[in-house]
Amino acid sequence: MGREERQALLHEGSGSAVMSAYVEIIFDNSDERFPTGKDELILRRTIGLKKDEYSLDRKNATKADVMNLLESAGFSRSNPYYIVPQGRVTTLTNMKDPERLTLLKEVAGTQVYEARRTESLRIMTDTLNKRSKIDELLDYIKDRLSELEEEKEELRNYQEKDRERRSLEYTIYHREQVEIANALDSIDELRQHGVYDNDDSRERYLRSEQEIATLTTQIADFKQQTEQLRLEKKQLEAERKDTARSRAKVELDIKSLTEGQSRAQELKYQHDSDLADVQNAIQERNDELSTILPEYNMRKDKENKIKAQLDEAESIRQRLYAKQGRNSQFKSKKQRDDWLRREVDEVNVALAKRKAIFMEVSEEIQELQANINTLETEMAQLRESFDSRGDSMQTISQEVQQAKDERDRLIDQRKELWREEAKLEATIGNVKQQLEQAERKLSHTMDQNTSRGLAAVRRIKNQFNLEGVYGTMAELMEVSEKYRTAVEVTAGNSLFHYIVDNDATATKVLEILQSERSGRVTFMPLNRLNPQPANLPKANDVVAMMDKIKFDPVYKKAFQQVFGKTIICPNLGVAGQYARSHGVSAITPEGDRSDKRGALSGGYYDNKNSRLEAVKTVGKWRDEYEEHKDHSLQLRSQVEAMDQQITRAVGELQKVEQKRQRLEGLYGPLKLDLRSKSAQLEKQKDNLVAKIRSKENVEASLKALGEQMTSYQAELSSEFKKALSPDEEHQLESLSLLIQDLGKKVSDLSKSRSELEAQKSMIEVELRENLYQRLDQLTSLDMENAESIGSQSNLKDSQRELKSISKAYQILENRLREIETTIDDLEGKLAVAERNKAEKTLAQEETSRSIERQQKKIEKSMAKKSLLTEKAAQCARDIRDLGVLPEEAFERFKNTPSNTIVKRLHKVHESLKGFSHINKKAFEQYTSFTKQRVVLTERRQELDSSQTSIEQLIEVLDHRKDEAIERTFKQVSKEFAKIFEKLVPAGRGRLVIQRKTDKSGANRDVDDSEDEATNRHESVESYTGVGISVSFNSKHDEQQRIQQLSGGQKSLCALALVFAIQQCDPAPFYLFDEIDANLDAQYRTAVASMLQSVAESSENGQFICTTFRPEMVHVADKCYGVAYANKTSSIDVVRREEALSFVDGQKP
């Protein structure tokens, strides 16, 4: 179908066009008819605008695959009647007899036989054509051989003269070859001597170049050392200036400290004398006080004891007087007891208050005693601090000096690091300059893109920390100077190929290079390299280049790829022999090269532009630069660490100095603190005495209240009387006498205690107000003296510092003298080195001019050699053009003079002119035609045999085709009779074959046809058609031809023929499209019944029918309804009743 036809099939009308549509069939494969191994087979055909696509089980397939699969399942292409669309029945009804015969032939599969027969006839025709052509060639060869027999005799005479000509020409060419070879040998000898001389000159040039390079390096080293020494000298001079300034300052400090030291010594003697007097006076007063205090305390305790007895007796007398007054106050015992109880309660309240006061006073006394103890301890510590202040000052001075020494030591170390760092910075600058110069030189040996790319790869490797990026081949190998030129020439630009571990790493680096536009680099991924082993010769005069290169075995594949097929030979001649014999590349140590094809390359190689040497130089300076850079970073770290140590040392020094300053400024606060604490101590002691007295008073009050409570309670338990009892009267009288006696004793004891107390108070006042204050003053003077001692210590420290500074100054002076001497020596060596370099440079230039002159001579000799070599090659070609020479050609004219040979050759050429008409290839043509005659004769015999085989095959095919047609006709005719009898039980039907021999046109029945086929073996080619003869009313009446039937009867006959064909070649299922449209009701019923019986009797047959008649619906197993709505068709399963209702509704 064309595009327009496909578009019309897919879409008609308005709206968006449909680009494709599909039809899908799902086959039940439970019987495994399709060899797919699944229970279902899904076949889909998708129709597009350009082509159709097929799929089997959702997988794409070709149309041929689909057709082969269907045919293997029983869907024959020769019998398409398992699908009967609309109009097929009408076509069969109107089909003529010859057309029915053609239909039977298709069902019988005669198309295959016809195709093979046609192919065999075509082959036979080709065979006849080839045989006729062979016969023509054989006739031509026969005539040609007779002509060549006559030409052979003339050819023999010509060949004799031609052999003589070739022998003469060979002799001339051979003598010319010998002359050329001798000339080449002489040129090679002269060249060899020139090469030797040139090699000596080159060796001298190389030695001079190496010596100049050594001198250049020495000069650079001398300049660098001189520059470093001058820089160090400048630093030392600045340091010497600072040291001189520091020394002058320390000398001034020492002078001022020395002048104030004598005055401080005199004051110290006077202070020590006064301090000893005060301490002796304090000791005497303390001894007196220690003598008075025991007596004073004893008298005071006795006085308190007697006073307590007096107070107790007075209290008892007061209670007795009170009792005596109460007896007269109350009228009855009850009044007295009530009053006593009230008094008892009041006494209890008073007792509680006094006890609380007593406990409070006791706690205050304990607190005062604790405070007094604390103050005494603190004062003792303060006095001890006063006493030990001098030692502390001396200790702290020592610590200050140690901190200063540590600080100065660290500063000196830092200065040394600074000087070393300055030297290293100068060295790094020089090395960096050398590195840049070497990199520029290396970049001149390659193109700019490669140079930029290599630098970018090196940066990317460090930036992304790529472990698999190893380096260029030149960086990863080492080779001796002897073979360096050979290796460079062999590798070429491969020296700068970058070796990586795998292609993933190379891809990553390439992507970064592409994004940054940073040049071009060729990578060699080791995982992708697979070098093939080479057939290297094993001889004493050859060595494999791989054996002369040192590299890590990890990179062996890369080096094998570049150098694995190259050998090193002593000279170009040996190299050419091995290159041709073993198929390898051979090279000499000088760089002359020969490959396996025979090409030679070589000449002078300038070692000054050596790539390997440039790479080695760059690597050396880069390593040195990195080493110095790392050392610089280490020095910077050490300087930073030293700065931190100095900062810590200065911090420690500041801490110690601050501690000393605090100790020096501690005297005033200590003195004030001591005075304050002394006042607090006296005040606390006075408070303690007052509290003790208060406690004694409270205690006496508690005792009195207790006795009063006891008296009240005893009075409550006694009888009520108006007067005291006799015992109480007697007690009252004795108490009066006792009180008088105790009062007198208390008065005497108080008087003696007061005298001792006055003495004690005077001593304490003198100690507190006079002696201790004087002691504090002298102690403060002692502290000032200690400060003077500290200044003396400062003097010693300054003197020690001056000594240290003087020593450092002397060291700087010595170092400066050494540096000046070294600079003078280096300048002398530098001048000598520069003078030697100039001399070597002049000698090298002369050697270079000598090499150039010798090179020009060699080039001239090489040009002459090239011409001679070309002549020798021409002679060799001329000799080869002579062809195969006779044996006599090598010795026949060996001793004949050249002039004679030339004359004889001229005569031979004149003789050969007479044979210009001769066929020079008569012998070859005769032999060739003879061979062709034999081959053609054999070929004709093969064609005759092939024709016989083809004729036999055609006969077999015709016989098989006739058998298939007769067999198919018999089966279809038999099945047609059976099926027609089922459809029309009262009638009879048969198929009638028509032949060319039927002149009368009478029909013969099947049986007659069978008898004739059996008896006469007539050919099927005599068949002209197949007719249908039926009778609908009787089995014995005269039958009618199909042309004589009505339309419904014709359709029934056509259906019977279809069913007969299907019975002969059954299919898995059948599809009928309204086959009952033209049938009468009785015949529709018969067709439906027959379909039902066939479906029930068949194991695998399935009938799918479309109809608008009820007869088919009655016998159907399942009914489907097709509905059309909204421009869309839908198919649903419907019940039989619904189907019948729909069919009845479609009747007109």
Side-chain angles (χ1 to χ4, degrees):
M1 289 188 295
R3 182 179 180 88
E4 295 180 355
E5 293 176 338
R6 290 177 178 271
Q7 183 64 46
L9 177 63
L10 292 174
H11 178 76
E12 287 185 354
S14 61
S16 59
V18 178
M19 305 302 293
S20 65
Y22 69 88
V23 178
E24 186 174 88
I25 303 175
I26 301 177
F27 294 98
D28 181 10
N29 194 32
S30 58
D31 58 351
E32 298 182 355
R33 182 182 294 272
F34 296 98
T36 61
K38 298 181 180 180
D39 294 336
E40 288 185 351
L41 175 68
I42 302 174
L43 173 61
R44 173 182 287 193
R45 176 182 178 183
T46 303
I47 303 172
L49 293 177
K50 295 183 179 180
K51 63 178 181 178
D52 296 347
E53 295 181 354
Y54 297 87
S55 66
L56 294 171
D57 287 336
R58 312 299 183 191
K59 297 179 181 179
N60 292 334
T62 62
K63 183 179 180 181
D65 295 337
V66 174
M67 298 301 293
N68 293 333
L69 183 65
L70 292 175
E71 194 157 353
S72 68
F75 299 99
S76 176
R77 280 185 286 184
S78 62
N79 179 18
Y81 286 94
Y82 53 85
I83 298 177
V84 183
Q86 291 184 7
R88 180 67 62 83
V89 175
T90 303
T91 303
L92 289 173
T93 301
N94 300 326
M95 191 176 287
K96 297 180 181 179
D97 293 346
E99 293 175 349
R100 291 193 193 94
L101 178 61
T102 303
L103 174 62
L104 284 178
K105 289 181 178 181
E106 291 178 359
V107 173
T110 58
Q111 291 180 350
V112 177
Y113 296 114
E114 289 293 339
R116 296 187 62 184
R117 189 175 187 279
T118 302
E119 180 67 19
S120 299
L121 291 174
R122 185 186 64 76
I123 295 173
M124 189 168 65
T125 302
D126 293 341
T127 302
L128 292 174
N129 294 332
K130 291 178 181 178
R131 190 167 62 178
S132 63
K133 290 181 180 179
I134 289 173
D135 291 340
E136 292 176 0
L137 287 173
L138 287 174
D139 293 340
Y140 171 75
I141 289 172
K142 183 177 180 182
D143 297 339
R144 186 66 180 139
L145 287 174
S146 62
E147 295 175 359
L148 291 173
E149 284 288 345
E150 298 175 358
E151 297 175 355
K152 285 169 60 178
E153 187 63 29
E154 293 181 356
L155 182 62
R156 288 191 185 91
N157 296 328
Y158 170 77
Q159 288 177 345
E160 181 66 27
K161 292 294 182 181
D162 186 64
R163 281 196 295 272
E164 185 178 359
R165 176 188 64 80
R166 287 188 291 160
S167 299
L168 291 169
E169 289 181 352
Y170 169 76
T171 304
I172 293 172
Y173 293 148
H174 179 66
R175 289 179 179 179
E176 187 176 357
Q177 269 188 330
V178 171
E179 292 175 358
I180 291 173
N182 293 331
L184 287 174
D185 290 340
S186 62
I187 290 174
D188 287 337
E189 185 176 358
L190 292 174
R191 177 180 176 275
Q192 193 67 27
H193 289 296
V195 168
Y196 290 151
D197 295 339
N198 204 7
D199 289 342
D200 294 338
S201 299
R202 287 181 182 177
E203 289 180 0
R204 289 197 304 274
Y205 182 86
L206 291 176
R207 285 197 300 271
S208 299
E209 188 175 22
Q210 292 176 355
E211 291 173 356
I212 290 173
T214 303
L215 290 172
T216 303
T217 304
Q218 290 178 357
I219 290 170
D221 292 339
F222 291 154
K223 289 182 178 179
Q224 180 181 357
Q225 293 175 11
T226 304
E227 185 66 26
Q228 291 177 355
L229 289 172
R230 286 174 178 170
L231 180 62
E232 185 179 359
K233 178 182 177 183
K234 184 178 180 181
Q235 293 175 349
L236 290 174
E237 287 176 348
E239 190 173 346
R240 182 179 64 178
K241 185 176 180 181
D242 294 337
T243 304
R245 189 183 298 112
S246 299
R247 185 174 65 176
K249 182 180 178 182
V250 172
E251 288 175 349
L252 290 174
D253 292 339
I254 290 173
K255 184 177 180 181
S256 61
L257 289 172
T258 304
E259 291 175 353
Q261 192 67 31
S262 58
R263 176 62 181 166
Q265 194 68 29
E266 295 176 358
L267 294 175
K268 185 176 183 302
Y269 292 146
Q270 183 65 37
H271 167 267
D272 292 341
S273 176
D274 294 341
L275 181 61
D277 295 339
V278 172
Q279 288 176 348
N280 292 332
I282 291 173
Q283 184 64 35
E284 291 176 357
R285 294 297 180 269
N286 284 328
D287 293 340
E288 293 178 1
L289 189 59
S290 61
T291 304
I292 294 172
L293 279 176
E295 183 66 23
Y296 169 76
N297 291 331
M298 182 188 68
R299 292 181 182 181
K300 185 176 180 182
D301 293 338
K302 189 175 181 180
E303 179 184 2
N304 292 333
K305 183 177 180 181
I306 294 174
K307 190 175 181 181
Q309 294 176 359
L310 177 61
D311 292 337
E312 183 179 359
E314 187 67 32
S315 175
I316 294 173
R317 188 174 69 173
Q318 291 295 331
R319 284 197 300 276
L320 291 175
Y321 284 147
K323 183 178 179 181
Q324 184 178 11
R326 283 194 300 274
N327 289 336
S328 60
Q329 182 181 357
F330 302 105
K331 295 179 179 181
S332 63
K333 184 176 185 298
K334 183 177 181 303
Q335 290 180 353
R336 185 199 68 177
D337 292 342
D338 291 340
W339 182 85
L340 287 173
R341 288 190 183 93
R342 286 194 299 271
E343 289 297 322
V344 168
D345 293 338
E346 292 178 359
V347 171
N348 284 331
V349 173
L351 278 173
K353 291 181 179 179
R354 296 297 188 279
K355 287 180 179 179
I357 293 171
F358 180 78
M359 293 177 64
E360 183 178 355
V361 172
S362 298
E363 291 176 356
E364 290 177 354
I365 290 173
Q366 292 177 358
E367 184 178 357
L368 288 172
Q369 289 176 346
N371 291 337
I372 290 170
N373 294 332
T374 302
L375 289 171
E376 289 176 348
T377 303
E378 292 176 354
M379 289 177 67
Q381 292 177 353
L382 289 174
R383 293 185 184 278
E384 185 177 356
S385 299
F386 278 119
D387 295 337
S388 61
R389 186 172 178 276
D391 297 336
S392 300
M393 286 294 295
Q394 186 175 3
T395 302
I396 289 178
S397 297
Q398 293 176 356
E399 293 178 0
V400 169
Q401 185 59 40
Q402 291 176 357
K404 286 182 179 180
D405 294 341
E406 179 66 17
R407 179 199 61 187
D408 296 339
R409 183 183 66 81
L410 293 175
I411 290 174
D412 292 339
Q413 291 181 0
R414 184 173 64 178
K415 289 179 181 178
E416 288 295 331
L417 291 175
W418 281 346
R419 283 192 287 270
E420 188 175 356
E421 187 179 14
K423 292 180 185 178
L424 192 58
E425 288 296 331
T427 303
I428 290 175
N430 185 32
V431 172
K432 186 176 181 181
Q433 183 179 1
Q434 295 292 338
L435 175 60
E436 291 174 351
Q437 183 178 355
E439 288 178 343
R440 284 195 299 272
K441 184 178 179 181
L442 177 61
S443 65
H444 292 159
T445 64
M446 66 184 84
D447 61 277
Q448 185 179 2
N449 285 333
T450 303
S451 177
R452 291 174 54 242
L454 292 177
V457 171
R458 193 177 298 110
R459 175 180 53 78
I460 291 168
K461 174 184 177 182
N462 297 328
Q463 180 178 354
F464 295 92
N465 194 20
L466 299 177
E467 298 293 338
V469 180
Y470 301 126
T472 62
M473 295 194 71
E475 294 172 350
L476 299 177
M477 70 176 176
E478 294 181 5
V479 62
S480 63
E481 186 176 354
K482 179 179 179 181
Y483 301 104
R484 187 173 63 195
T485 302
V487 171
E488 285 189 25
V489 173
T490 302
N493 290 331
S494 298
L495 287 173
F496 304 116
H497 290 180
Y498 231 99
I499 300 176
V500 296
D501 55 354
N502 52 51
D503 48 359
T505 303
T507 303
K508 182 176 181 181
V509 178
L510 283 174
E511 289 175 353
I512 299 174
L513 286 176
Q514 183 68 24
S515 63
E516 296 180 353
R517 298 182 179 179
S518 302
R520 298 181 62 83
V521 178
T522 301
F523 290 96
M524 300 182 71
L526 294 177
N527 66 326
R528 290 292 186 182
L529 298 179
N530 189 19
Q532 300 298 324
N535 181 23
L536 300 181
K538 297 180 180 179
N540 295 328
D541 57 349
V542 66
V543 62
M545 183 170 286
M546 287 285 289
D547 297 339
K548 298 301 178 182
I549 301 175
K550 295 181 181 180
F551 55 87
D552 195 316
V554 176
Y555 319 127
K556 184 176 181 179
K557 286 185 177 180
F559 286 92
Q560 189 75 26
Q561 182 79 15
V562 178
F563 304 106
K565 296 182 180 181
T566 304
I567 58 175
I568 302 174
C569 301
N571 54 62
L572 197 57
V574 177
Q577 293 177 4
Y578 283 117
R580 289 190 297 271
S581 62
H582 289 77
V584 296
S585 295
I587 193 169
T588 65
E590 293 79 19
D592 298 331
R593 187 175 182 180
S594 175
D595 61 13
K596 58 184 179 182
R597 297 181 180 86
L600 301 176
S601 62
Y604 174 67
Y605 189 84
D606 190 2
N607 288 317
K608 290 192 295 184
N609 296 325
S610 172
R611 292 179 171 184
L612 283 176
E613 184 65 23
V615 171
K616 183 179 178 181
T617 304
V618 169
K620 183 190 76 172
W621 288 115
R622 182 178 291 121
D623 293 341
E624 190 170 349
Y625 177 76
E626 295 295 335
E627 181 181 357
H628 289 315
K629 201 70 176 177
D630 294 339
H631 191 195
S632 176
L633 293 176
Q634 293 177 2
L635 281 179
R636 174 54 54 188
S637 301
Q638 293 178 5
V639 169
E640 292 176 355
M642 191 61 65
D643 289 338
Q644 295 176 359
Q645 294 181 10
I646 291 172
T647 303
R648 287 195 294 269
V650 171
E652 292 294 331
L653 177 60
Q654 291 176 352
K655 289 180 182 179
V656 177
E657 288 181 344
Q658 289 175 1
K659 185 177 179 182
R660 184 174 66 178
Q661 292 174 1
R662 286 197 303 269
L663 188 59
E664 290 174 351
L666 194 61
Y667 169 70
L670 283 176
K671 185 167 64 175
L672 294 176
D673 194 14
L674 184 59
R675 290 177 182 177
S676 175
K677 290 186 182 300
S678 299
Q680 291 179 11
L681 180 60
E682 293 299 327
K683 186 176 180 180
Q684 292 291 336
K685 288 182 177 180
D686 294 340
N687 292 334
L688 179 61
V689 172
K691 291 295 181 181
I692 291 173
R693 291 175 181 171
S694 176
K695 180 180 178 183
E696 292 174 352
N697 295 332
V698 173
E699 189 175 2
S701 178
L702 284 173
K703 186 176 181 183
L705 288 173
E707 293 176 351
Q708 189 172 3
M709 176 67 71
T710 303
S711 174
Y712 285 156
Q713 290 177 351
E715 189 174 356
L716 278 173
S717 61
S718 63
E719 296 180 358
F720 179 73
K721 294 180 180 181
K722 293 294 185 178
L724 296 173
S725 64
D727 293 332
E728 290 175 345
E729 289 289 343
H730 177 71
Q731 184 180 7
L732 185 59
E733 290 178 0
S734 59
L735 285 172
S736 297
L737 296 174
L738 180 59
I739 288 171
Q740 291 178 0
D741 186 22
L742 289 175
K744 185 178 180 182
K745 289 181 180 180
V746 168
S747 178
D748 294 337
L749 289 172
S750 177
K751 183 177 179 182
S752 60
R753 177 187 60 78
S754 297
E755 294 176 356
L756 289 175
E757 187 174 3
Q759 294 179 8
K760 181 176 78 70
S761 298
M762 288 175 62
I763 294 173
E764 289 177 349
V765 168
E766 184 179 3
L767 286 171
R768 184 173 60 251
E769 300 295 337
N770 183 14
L771 294 177
Y772 281 132
Q773 290 182 2
R774 180 60 179 164
L775 179 62
D776 293 338
Q777 292 176 357
L778 293 175
T779 304
S780 62
L781 291 175
D782 189 17
M783 294 175 68
E784 294 174 358
N785 293 332
E787 291 178 0
S788 65
I789 294 173
S791 64
Q792 183 179 5
S793 177
N794 291 336
L795 176 61
K796 293 180 180 179
D797 295 340
S798 298
Q799 291 173 348
R800 188 162 49 250
E801 185 178 359
L802 177 61
K803 184 178 179 181
S804 175
I805 291 174
S806 300
K807 183 178 179 181
Y809 185 84
Q810 186 63 37
I811 292 173
L812 290 173
E813 286 287 344
N814 295 334
R815 178 59 182 162
L816 282 171
R817 284 194 293 271
E818 291 177 1
I819 289 175
E820 290 174 354
T821 303
T822 306
I823 289 175
D824 294 337
D825 294 341
L826 288 174
E827 287 177 348
K829 292 179 180 179
L830 180 61
V832 173
E834 289 178 344
R835 187 166 54 254
N836 292 336
K837 180 181 177 181
E839 294 174 357
K840 294 289 183 182
T841 303
L842 292 175
Q844 188 185 30
E845 291 175 354
E846 180 62 29
T847 305
S848 177
R849 287 192 290 271
S850 174
I851 292 173
E852 289 177 359
R853 290 193 297 270
Q854 191 68 30
Q855 189 68 25
K856 289 180 180 179
K857 292 180 181 179
I858 292 175
E859 289 175 357
K860 289 181 180 179
S861 63
M862 290 300 294
K864 185 176 180 181
K865 180 179 179 181
S866 177
L867 292 174
L868 292 174
T869 303
E870 186 176 354
K871 289 183 179 180
Q874 183 62 41
C875 290
R877 285 194 297 270
D878 292 340
I879 292 174
R880 284 197 301 270
D881 293 340
L882 294 176
V884 179
L885 296 172
E887 294 181 359
E888 61 183 11
F890 302 102
E891 300 291 339
R892 183 177 178 181
F893 303 105
K894 184 176 180 181
N895 299 321
T896 304
S898 298
N899 294 331
T900 305
I901 291 174
V902 172
K903 292 178 181 179
R904 189 165 181 175
L905 178 63
H906 179 70
K907 292 179 180 180
V908 171
H909 279 300
E910 292 295 329
S911 300
L912 288 174
K913 289 181 180 178
F915 296 96
S916 59
H917 66 283
I918 196 68
N919 182 10
K920 299 178 182 179
K921 296 184 179 180
F923 289 110
E924 291 85 354
Q925 290 177 354
Y926 185 85
T927 304
S928 175
F929 281 126
T930 303
K931 291 181 181 179
Q932 288 182 13
R933 183 176 60 182
V934 173
V935 172
L936 290 174
T937 303
E938 293 176 354
R939 179 61 179 158
R940 191 179 189 287
Q941 292 175 357
E942 291 177 358
L943 291 175
D944 293 340
S945 177
S946 299
Q947 183 177 3
T948 303
S949 300
I950 292 171
E951 290 174 352
Q952 294 175 356
L953 176 62
I954 292 173
E955 184 180 355
V956 170
L957 290 174
D958 290 341
H959 181 68
R960 290 181 180 177
K961 183 183 73 173
D962 294 345
E963 288 181 350
I965 293 174
E966 290 179 1
R967 183 173 59 254
T968 302
F969 176 76
K970 290 178 183 179
Q971 291 178 355
V972 173
S973 178
K974 182 179 179 181
E975 294 297 333
F976 179 80
K978 290 180 181 180
I979 291 171
F980 189 83
E981 186 175 355
K982 290 181 180 180
L983 295 177
V984 186
R988 180 187 177 200
R990 63 174 180 166
L991 297 179
V992 180
I993 198 76
Q994 295 179 355
R995 298 182 178 86
K996 296 178 181 179
T997 57
D998 297 337
K999 298 179 180 180
S1000 61
N1003 298 332
R1004 298 184 183 182
D1005 59 12
V1006 178
D1007 296 334
D1008 293 340
S1009 299
E1010 292 176 359
D1011 293 338
E1012 291 175 0
T1014 304
N1015 298 327
R1016 293 184 301 171
H1017 298 287
E1018 293 181 350
S1019 174
V1020 178
E1021 293 297 329
S1022 62
Y1023 295 169
T1024 59
V1026 175
I1028 298 176
S1029 177
V1030 296
S1031 173
F1032 282 87
N1033 298 324
S1034 172
K1035 296 183 181 291
H1036 305 286
D1037 291 347
E1038 183 178 355
Q1039 295 183 343
Q1040 296 175 331
R1041 302 298 295 268
I1042 191 170
Q1043 293 83 1
Q1044 300 170 349
L1045 301 177
S1046 64
Q1049 291 175 342
K1050 289 181 179 180
S1051 298
L1052 185 64
C1053 291
L1055 286 174
L1057 180 59
V1058 170
F1059 292 149
I1061 293 172
Q1062 291 175 350
Q1063 289 297 321
C1064 293
D1065 189 8
F1069 75 90
Y1070 305 94
L1071 179 61
F1072 295 154
D1073 188 7
E1074 297 187 36
I1075 61 174
D1076 56 353
N1078 298 325
L1079 297 178
D1080 297 335
Q1082 60 176 345
Y1083 297 136
R1084 290 199 300 270
T1085 303
V1087 169
S1089 299
M1090 192 199 72
L1091 290 178
Q1092 184 180 12
S1093 63
V1094 172
E1096 292 176 353
S1097 62
S1098 177
E1099 295 181 357
N1100 298 321
Q1102 181 184 18
F1103 291 89
I1104 302 173
C1105 304
T1106 63
T1107 183
F1108 286 95
R1109 305 296 183 180
E1111 289 78 9
M1112 287 287 186
V1113 177
H1114 283 295
V1115 300
D1117 294 333
K1118 186 174 290 187
C1119 299
Y1120 294 88
V1122 180
Y1124 182 77
N1126 297 327
K1127 298 182 180 181
T1128 304
S1129 299
S1130 61
I1131 303 175
D1132 295 314
V1133 178
V1134 297
R1135 292 183 292 106
R1136 191 189 307 275
E1137 292 76 8
E1138 294 177 355
L1140 290 173
S1141 175
F1142 174 78
V1143 169
D1144 292 340
Q1146 298 295 321
K1147 292 180 179 180

